[in-house]
């Protein structure tokens, strides 16, 4: 049996235990993460938390809808067992009718799409850090090895815990100019995620200083259940020219090689980024994005998929 539970009815301890025991134990599905990226989220729960489905809802133009939150790559159904077509269809039949629009991502264990939804296949890249660093390094691309050597000659230095606002400003002034604008509310969510994870010891904030001692790149790593997500990064022009991000990721891999964790690069569908991650030996995985618009005419004409 599947029950729809509002936020205050959810047993967070049981919910998080289900996420941790699932075949896709992703930090995005934990109650603490959801509380930040989608305050007031609700959930579908099967058989006393044997399987769960977070409903990250929003309201606009007088209509309630489901959307994928910022900094939250995958959600969908979390279950320790196989998510069969029957289970997936059961969950989707129990989504309340009030959610007339849905633009969400499932997780890698949900490899079936429900009928009536448009879908697309999204790329993720992961590196399993099971082998020693020398063994892992063998699978780096020639281009990645050259850039690591280039960074080594640039007199760069690794630093811990750079200022979060400095990294966000660096992103906005560089990569942020070429992508769809991110609202200030989302940046505030990222600040909360970083602050709470650093406090709990589940997050790591790394930076790279240039040869003048100035920050030129940085990244935030978030860990949960033997998986570390490369959740956010930023780099300025000097950092790009000196191959600073190659240094940062290589240092992370060297430090964590042989631990058995998965370094989850979070994508990407953007070919240049995908090539960059593949250069470290990362392997492809896929997850589905779903879209459905049952808004009344003519409102649905103004809300189209961003795909």
């Amino acid at each position: 049996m599947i029950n729809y539970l509002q936020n205050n009815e959810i047993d967070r301890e049981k919910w998080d235990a289900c996420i941790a025991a699932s075949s896709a134990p992703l930090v995005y599905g934990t109650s603490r993460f959801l509380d930040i990226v989608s305050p007031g989220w609700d959930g579908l729960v099967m058989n006393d938390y044997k399987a769960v489905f977070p409903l990250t809802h929003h309201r606009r133009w007088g209509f309630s809808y489901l959307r994928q939150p910022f900094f939250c790559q995958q959600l969908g159904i979390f279950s320790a067992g196989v998510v069969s077509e029957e289970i997936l269809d059961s969950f989707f039949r129990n989504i309340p009718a009030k959610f007339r629009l849905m633009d969400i991502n499932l997780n890698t264990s949900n490899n079936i799409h429900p009928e009536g939804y448009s879908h697309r296949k999204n790329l993720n890249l992961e590196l399993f850090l099971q082998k020693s660093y020398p063994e892992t390094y063998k699978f780096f691309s020639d281009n990645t090895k050259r850039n690591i050597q280039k960074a080594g000659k640039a007199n760069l230095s690794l630093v811990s815990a750079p200022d979060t606002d400095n990294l966000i400003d660096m992103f906005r002034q560089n990569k942020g100019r070429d992508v769809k604008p991110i609202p200030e509310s989302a940046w505030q969510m990222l600040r909360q995620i970083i602050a709470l994870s650093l406090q709990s010891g589940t997050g790591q904030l790394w930076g790279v200083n240039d040869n003048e001692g100035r920050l030129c790149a940085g990244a935030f790593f978030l860990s949960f259940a033997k998986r570390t997500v490369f959740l956010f990064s930023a780099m300025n022009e000097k950092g790009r020219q000196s191959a600073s991000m190659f240094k940062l990721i290589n240092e992370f891999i060297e430090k964590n090689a042989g631990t058995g964790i998965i370094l989850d690069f979070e994508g990407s569908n953007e070919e240049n980024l995908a090539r960059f991650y593949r250069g470290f030996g990362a392997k492809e995985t896929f997850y589905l994005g779903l879209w459905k618009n049952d808004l009344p005419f003519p409102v649905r004409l103004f809300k189209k998929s961003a795909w």
Side-chain angles (χ1 to χ4, degrees):
M1 185 173 69
I2 296 174
N3 292 312
Y4 167 57
L5 301 181
Q6 294 186 341
N7 186 268
N8 61 356
E9 299 174 310
I10 292 170
D11 185 320
R12 280 163 160 71
E13 185 175 346
K14 288 184 177 181
W15 179 281
D16 290 340
C18 179
I19 300 297
S22 75
S23 54
L26 301 172
V27 68
Y28 316 113
T30 61
S31 62
R32 193 175 187 185
F33 193 91
L34 289 168
D35 284 342
I36 296 174
V37 300
S38 185
W41 60 279
D42 299 332
L44 295 176
V45 175
M46 173 183 277
N47 298 339
D48 195 26
Y49 297 86
K50 298 301 182 185
V52 300
F53 184 174
L55 300 177
T56 49
H57 54 80
H58 194 64
R59 190 169 178 82
R60 193 174 183 185
W61 306 322
F63 296 97
S64 296
Y65 64 98
L66 300 182
R67 66 174 182 178
Q68 196 70 20
F70 284 98
F71 304 109
C72 183
Q73 186 194 62
Q74 302 175 38
L75 288 173
I77 301 165
F78 294 88
S79 171
V82 175
V83 180
S84 65
E85 185 174 358
E86 180 182 1
I87 290 174
L88 184 136
D89 287 341
S90 294
F91 269 102
F92 274 85
R93 284 197 303 270
N94 279 278
I95 294 175
K98 66 181 178 181
F99 299 124
R100 306 285 297 275
L101 173 74
M102 287 176 248
D103 190 355
I104 58 175
N105 294 335
L106 304 182
N107 64 64
T108 53
S109 73
N110 304 165
N111 53 15
I112 310 163
H113 62 87
E115 291 186 11
Y117 289 77
S118 299
H119 69 280
R120 72 166 181 178
K121 201 174 184 180
N122 293 307
L123 174 66
N124 195 28
L125 286 147
E126 302 174 349
L127 180 60
F128 189 11
L129 295 175
Q130 186 177 27
K131 299 179 180 179
S132 67
Y133 175 73
E135 285 295 313
T136 304
Y137 182 82
K138 287 180 183 178
F139 293 93
F140 288 7
S141 69
D142 290 342
N143 181 65
T144 296
K145 291 175 181 177
R146 283 194 298 270
N147 276 286
I148 291 170
Q149 293 170 359
K150 177 181 178 180
K153 297 174 182 177
N155 197 26
L156 304 176
S157 56
L158 201 67
V159 294
S160 62
D163 183 76
T164 300
D165 284 334
N166 286 348
L167 280 185
I168 291 174
D169 288 344
M170 183 181 293
F171 179 91
R172 283 172 154 172
Q173 294 164 17
N174 293 276
K175 181 68 174 177
R177 294 179 176 178
D178 301 323
V179 299
K180 184 178 179 180
I182 298 174
E184 181 55 41
S185 59
W187 291 123
Q188 187 55 36
M189 289 175 188
L190 179 62
R191 292 183 183 98
Q192 286 183 263
I193 293 168
I194 292 175
L196 288 175
S197 65
L198 291 178
Q199 183 180 359
S200 65
T202 57
Q204 301 175 59
L205 200 54
W206 290 33
V208 178
N209 284 351
D210 62 23
N211 56 358
E212 297 178 338
R214 297 174 181 171
L215 188 71
C216 64
F220 171 63
F221 300 91
L222 181 59
S223 298
F224 176 75
K226 298 293 285 183
R227 175 182 295 264
T228 296
V229 178
F230 186 60
L231 193 73
F232 176 71
S233 64
M235 179 173 56
N236 62 23
E237 181 59 23
K238 191 164 185 179
R240 187 188 67 81
Q241 292 179 359
S242 61
S244 60
M245 198 58 69
F246 285 92
K247 175 181 176 64
L248 190 154
I249 293 176
N250 180 59
E251 294 269 3
F252 183 90
I253 292 172
E254 185 171 13
K255 179 181 177 182
N256 291 279
T259 63
I261 69 167
I262 295 172
L263 175 55
D264 184 339
F265 285 110
E266 270 207 336
S268 165
N269 291 331
E270 183 183 331
E271 181 52 35
N272 288 336
L273 266 179
R275 187 182 306 112
F276 174 67
Y277 299 142
R278 286 192 194 99
F280 291 96
K283 304 301 181 184
E284 294 183 351
T285 62
F286 295 92
Y287 61 98
L288 295 178
L290 299 182
W291 166 263
K292 187 175 184 179
N293 188 344
D294 285 337
L295 293 172
F297 182 86
V299 180
R300 65 171 176 267
L301 300 179
F302 295 97
K303 185 59 181 177
K304 298 181 180 180
S305 171
W307 300 354

